[in-house]
Amino acid sequence: MKCSVFIATSVDGFIARKNGSVNWLQTAGNKNADMSDQADMGFNQYLASVDCIIMGRKCMETISSMDLPPEQWPYGNIRIIVLSTTITQAPDNLRDKVEMYAGNIKILITKLSTEGYQHAYIDGGMTIQAFINQQLINHITITRAPILLGSGISLFGETHKDIELEQTQAIVFPNNFIQVKYSVNYK
């Protein structure tokens, strides 16, 4: 089963402020840029390639706090599994959209694969780290916003060993965001 990451960071590598806020994503970059057909910077095309999402609890809580109406829900009917060892039920506004999981992630991937799932979108800093350290991530797409936060929640933390990333593509968007796509090589 393919597991990949599609995430935005500040130039200094943070995915959120220390309090979990990602409001800087709305203000960073050139707001007057003509993004034409690139307004989502490839997210919808990426989302169309996945058949399930595995995210961490904090990521789910951030989405829950947005309290999106059904017409703004970005994930359609994609199956979403939330990893958490601290809570067993999703917030009320996500209860019919996500399922909770507290077990081993390799067992989860094997189970999803045997159920016919082929491509999982992995989201959330600690979740991405756990998947990388278990050598489960195949591809990483990082979209860097033109902003320095100075501190916050880092995308990458400690790894068990060096992990080589092979650059496959880089895209510069008119709004000054830069997207880099990597294949992961665990050698």
Side-chain angles (χ1 to χ4, degrees):
M1 179 175 197
K2 177 179 173 181
C3 295
S4 64
V5 172
F6 191 105
I7 198 159
T9 70
S10 61
V11 170
D12 47 354
F14 298 108
I15 58 174
R17 295 189 188 280
K18 286 182 180 180
N19 67 1
S21 171
V22 293
N23 62 349
W24 50 273
L25 281 171
Q26 305 303 316
T27 60
N30 179 357
K31 295 293 165 214
N32 298 319
D34 179 8
M35 294 295 287
S36 300
D37 60 347
Q38 298 176 320
D40 71 348
M41 293 180 268
F43 182 70
N44 287 330
Q45 181 180 356
Y46 170 77
L47 201 57
S49 76
V50 303
D51 50 14
C52 64
I53 299 171
I54 302 169
M55 68 175 60
R57 175 189 53 83
K58 289 179 185 175
C59 188
M60 176 200 65
E61 288 173 347
T62 298
I63 293 167
S64 175
S65 72
M66 294 176 190
D67 206 19
L68 299 170
E71 63 274 7
Q72 290 182 358
W73 181 250
Y75 307 116
N77 292 323
I78 297 174
R79 182 177 181 185
I80 301 173
I81 298 112
V82 177
L83 305 180
S84 178
T85 57
T86 58
I87 62 171
T88 58
Q89 286 192 329
D92 289 341
N93 64 341
L94 296 182
R95 203 156 282 156
D96 63 337
K97 293 178 173 59
V98 305
E99 57 189 88
M100 305 303 292
Y101 182 82
N104 179 293
I105 59 175
K106 282 190 175 180
I107 292 171
L108 173 62
I109 293 300
T110 300
K111 179 180 180 291
L112 290 169
S113 185
T114 59
E115 291 174 5
Y117 291 91
Q118 297 177 7
H119 184 187
Y121 168 17
I122 311 304
D123 199 12
M126 290 177 63
T127 302
I128 293 167
Q129 279 182 358
F131 272 72
I132 285 174
N133 280 322
Q134 292 195 38
Q135 300 186 5
L136 294 170
I137 299 291
N138 308 100
H139 296 279
I140 299 173
T141 299
I142 301 172
T143 306
R144 295 208 184 270
I147 188 169
L148 296 170
L149 297 178
S151 66
I153 300 169
S154 179
L155 171 57
F156 298 111
E158 189 174 326
T159 57
H160 299 316
K161 66 176 194 164
D162 290 349
I163 298 166
E164 292 186 26
L165 302 177
E166 300 168 349
Q167 183 173 334
T168 57
Q169 183 181 20
I171 302 166
V172 178
F173 293 104
N175 64 352
N176 298 326
F177 282 63
I178 298 172
Q179 187 174 86
V180 184
K181 299 179 181 188
Y182 296 101
S183 293
V184 182
N185 186 343
Y186 294 103
K187 286 190 181 179

